[in-house]
Amino acid sequence: MDWLDNQARGAEHPDTIIHLGAGTCRELGIYQSLDPRQIILIEPNPEQLEILHLKAASAKNIQIVECAVSDRGDDNCLQVLSDPHFSSLREPSGLLELIPGLKVERQVTVTTRTITELIDSLGLEAGKNHWLFIDTPGVEAEILQAINESGEIELFSHLLIRAGAESFFAGAIPIRELSADLGELGYRPVGQPDYSDADFPVYHLHLDQLLIEQQRLTKELRADVAEKDLKIDTLSNQIQDLNSNADKLRADVAEKDLKIDTLSNQIQDLNSNADKLRADAAEKDLKIQTLSSQVQNQDSNTEKMREEIHSKESDLSIALKLQMLRESDLEDLQERYSEVVELKDRQTELLTSMKERLNSVAIYLSQIDSAGDPMTERDVTAKLLDAISGNVN
């Protein structure tokens, strides 16, 4: 414990000391000598918890949390070894061969909390001097990674880490690699590590705020440089695009100028054609006016001709009517002539017939006179009637 005592001398009084895997906490006296506001001891092993409670019974600023700590909450199986100081949530890997007689005595189900849940529950005030002692064999790297990813690692101005010089547990990382990783986060070693147990040394690291600020500024500077490089690349690309667009625009302008020249020539041709069309139109207008005058004259002559035709049509109508009357009178005359001829023919026929009958009567009368036969008046009348009707035998 002389090493930790030396590390504590001259150090600023811490606000909070948190010891993960405190065991029976042999360091408790040194912690109390630093006069912190509170000491928080984390331990899952029930046997060691009994001793720890006895030690802390008389102190008011000591808080004991009975749980294991890892980067996940489902690590509930504690591997209890014959030396409780090496008990772990991880399977030993090479540790049992390293220490003769060391063995896993039993497995105990324990309450497990993630490191981020635990830190959040403690309500640590930022900007204060908080110390964190990580004494969790096989789980150190996972706890540090979880604190770093949560952004809470800078709450701790001092880190004390006990870990294997080699990977003695499944998934464990040697302490030298852990120290190097922490160095990139701004933690610098305080003095020499405690090599009293060469296989499990203890490192004391202090958060160098100037280095943190330098790293922050360097990071920001690199980010600015990267951003500016990106902007430069973007601007270069934009300039190339603009130059390309400018070339295209120049080509477009040249093409448009050519089109404008072509259109100008076409416009000139159209204007020339328009002048010709106007002249043709004027000439046609003159011809139209002449034709209109001629049409008017023709209309006037046509009207006169219509009047003459109408007059002639009236005269023709009268002549036709007279002709029709003449033809009608002629037809009447012809009909009358036919009737007269027919009547004459009948009269002639009748006269002929009468002539023949009269001749017959005359003959008959002559015969009567020559015969001298006495005849009555009645017989004579009957004979006359027969002779007149043509029935004379």
Side-chain angles (χ1 to χ4, degrees):
M1 301 306 299
D2 292 339
W3 174 85
L4 182 59
D5 188 30
N6 291 331
Q7 294 289 316
R9 287 176 185 175
E12 183 182 354
H13 292 293
D15 182 81
T16 303
I17 297 176
I18 301 172
H19 192 151
L20 304 179
T24 58
C25 199
R26 294 173 296 176
E27 303 87 357
L28 184 58
I30 298 174
Y31 291 162
Q32 289 175 320
S33 69
L34 293 172
D35 192 23
R37 182 177 62 85
Q38 60 178 344
I39 300 171
I40 301 172
L41 307 177
I42 317 297
E43 176 57 42
N45 191 332
E47 295 178 357
Q48 293 188 305
L49 280 169
E50 292 180 6
I51 301 173
L52 196 59
H53 278 292
L54 291 174
K55 281 188 174 183
S58 60
K60 296 182 180 180
N61 64 338
I62 298 176
Q63 178 183 352
I64 298 174
V65 180
E66 299 180 2
C67 71
V69 179
S70 74
D71 63 331
R72 56 183 190 268
D74 58 354
D75 286 333
N76 297 324
C77 184
L78 179 67
Q79 310 286 328
V80 180
L81 276 66
S82 54
D83 185 348
H85 200 54
F86 294 106
S87 297
S88 174
L89 295 173
R90 301 287 177 264
E91 292 282 347
S93 175
L95 181 65
L96 301 181
E97 291 79 5
L98 177 69
I99 303 175
L102 187 66
K103 63 181 179 178
V104 179
E105 290 188 342
R106 63 187 180 280
Q107 294 180 344
V108 179
T109 300
V110 296
T111 300
T112 307
R113 300 178 69 178
T114 65
I115 184 62
T116 53
E117 288 176 348
L118 178 64
I119 292 174
D120 291 342
S121 68
L122 298 177
L124 300 179
E125 185 178 351
K128 296 291 185 177
N129 184 19
H130 303 301
W131 288 36
L132 177 64
F133 195 155
I134 300 176
D135 191 2
T136 56
V139 194
E140 313 90 345
E142 299 171 7
I143 290 174
L144 286 170
Q145 183 179 356
I147 300 173
N148 183 40
E149 289 177 353
S150 68
E152 295 175 322
I153 195 165
E154 291 186 9
L155 286 172
F156 303 103
S157 57
H158 290 263
L159 289 177
L160 291 98
I161 303 171
R162 175 177 173 267
E166 304 293 337
S167 180
F168 295 127
F169 294 88
I173 295 177
I175 193 168
R176 286 184 180 275
E177 294 182 25
L178 294 177
S179 177
D181 292 340
L182 290 170
E184 294 180 0
L185 298 178
Y187 285 91
R188 290 287 177 262
V190 178
Q192 293 297 318
D194 178 12
Y195 286 111
S196 56
D197 184 348
D199 295 319
F200 281 88
V202 181
Y203 279 49
H204 181 195
L205 303 160
H206 173 64
L207 182 63
D208 190 340
Q209 294 295 342
L210 291 177
L211 180 60
I212 291 293
E213 183 65 16
Q214 179 184 354
Q215 289 177 342
R216 186 185 65 80
L217 293 174
T218 301
K219 185 177 180 180
E220 289 179 358
L221 181 60
R222 287 174 180 167
D224 289 341
V225 170
E227 184 179 1
K228 288 178 181 178
D229 288 340
L230 179 61
K231 288 181 178 179
I232 289 170
D233 291 338
T234 303
L235 288 173
S236 297
N237 293 331
Q238 290 177 350
I239 290 170
Q240 289 179 355
D241 292 340
L242 290 172
N243 288 331
S244 177
N245 292 332
D247 292 337
K248 290 180 180 178
L249 288 173
R250 291 188 192 97
D252 290 342
V253 168
E255 183 179 358
K256 289 179 179 178
D257 288 341
L258 180 61
K259 288 182 178 179
I260 290 170
D261 293 339
T262 303
L263 289 173
S264 297
N265 294 330
Q266 291 177 351
I267 290 170
Q268 290 178 356
D269 293 340
L270 290 172
N271 288 331
S272 177
N273 292 333
D275 293 337
K276 291 179 181 178
L277 289 173
R278 291 189 192 97
D280 292 342
E283 183 178 355
K284 288 179 180 179
D285 286 340
L286 181 59
K287 288 181 179 180
I288 288 169
Q289 291 176 359
T290 303
L291 289 173
S292 297
S293 178
Q294 292 175 355
V295 168
Q296 289 177 355
N297 294 331
Q298 288 180 356
D299 289 342
S300 177
N301 294 331
T302 302
E303 187 64 28
K304 290 178 181 180
M305 291 176 68
R306 286 196 187 99
E307 291 177 358
E308 291 177 358
I309 289 169
H310 182 67
S311 176
K312 290 179 180 181
E313 284 177 349
S314 295
D315 295 340
L316 181 58
S317 176
I318 293 170
L320 289 172
K321 287 180 181 179
L322 292 175
Q323 180 67 25
M324 290 174 66
L325 288 174
R326 283 195 294 269
E327 289 178 354
S328 177
D329 291 342
L330 181 58
E331 288 177 357
D332 289 340
L333 290 173
Q334 288 176 347
E335 288 178 359
R336 289 179 185 178
Y337 175 75
S338 297
E339 290 176 357
V340 171
V341 171
E342 185 180 355
L343 180 61
K344 180 182 178 184
D345 289 340
R346 285 202 304 266
Q347 288 175 354
T348 302
E349 184 180 352
L350 180 59
L351 288 174
T352 302
S353 176
M354 288 299 293
K355 181 179 180 182
E356 290 177 355
R357 290 177 182 178
L358 288 173
N359 287 332
S360 296
V361 171
I363 294 169
Y364 180 69
L365 289 175
S366 170
Q367 289 174 356
I368 290 172
D369 286 340
S370 64
D373 290 334
M375 296 179 63
T376 66
E377 185 177 353
R378 179 175 294 181
D379 291 335
V380 173
T381 302
K383 292 288 187 181
L384 286 175
L385 289 174
D386 289 336
I388 292 170
S389 61
N391 291 328
V392 181
N393 291 328

